[in-house]
Amino acid sequence: MAAYVINEIVVTEPERFQTYADQVPAILARYGGQYVIRGGAPERVDGPQPPHRLVVLRFESREAARAWRNSPEYLAILPIREATSTSRVYIVDGHDG
């Protein structure tokens, strides 16, 4: 079953954050991940205002998502994201239906 990594993110240092963002696609591809959403300016329909940026990644399985997230390549650049943004990141299973 497909799994999705969802990152609700507020970028606090855009220029430094971009050095992280530029490196993610190649690492993501190595682990079979792909962007579903990689954008800003979400429109609020109900509830509180969403974060400034929302990223959704798709993987073939939860295990593949974890492998990417815990990979040495990703862990090497993660401190850049942590220093230049605040995030809420989680993995959810897709729907087979």
Side-chain angles (χ1 to χ4, degrees):
M1 173 184 307
Y4 296 84
V5 174
I6 300 171
N7 186 349
E8 300 172 349
I9 189 164
V10 176
V11 176
T12 55
E13 296 182 44
E15 288 181 21
R16 279 187 58 207
F17 178 85
Q18 192 60 48
T19 64
Y20 159 83
D22 290 344
Q23 296 177 69
V24 173
I27 300 168
L28 187 61
R30 282 186 221 136
Y31 290 87
Q34 59 188 0
Y35 286 101
V36 176
I37 298 169
R38 186 183 189 192
E43 179 180 342
R44 182 180 67 83
V45 176
D46 288 312
Q49 180 63 34
H52 299 291
R53 184 175 177 89
L54 183 66
V55 175
V56 177
L57 308 173
R58 183 186 186 282
F59 291 87
E60 290 300 315
S61 66
R62 187 176 283 254
E63 292 76 22
R66 286 187 191 127
W68 165 76
R69 177 61 174 79
N70 295 317
S71 70
E73 304 95 324
Y74 186 73
L75 292 176
I77 65 169
L78 181 58
I80 301 168
R81 193 200 79 205
E82 293 174 335
T84 61
S85 66
T86 57
S87 293
R88 185 166 76 157
V89 183
Y90 39 97
I91 299 172
V92 296
D93 292 324
H95 178 66
D96 280 341

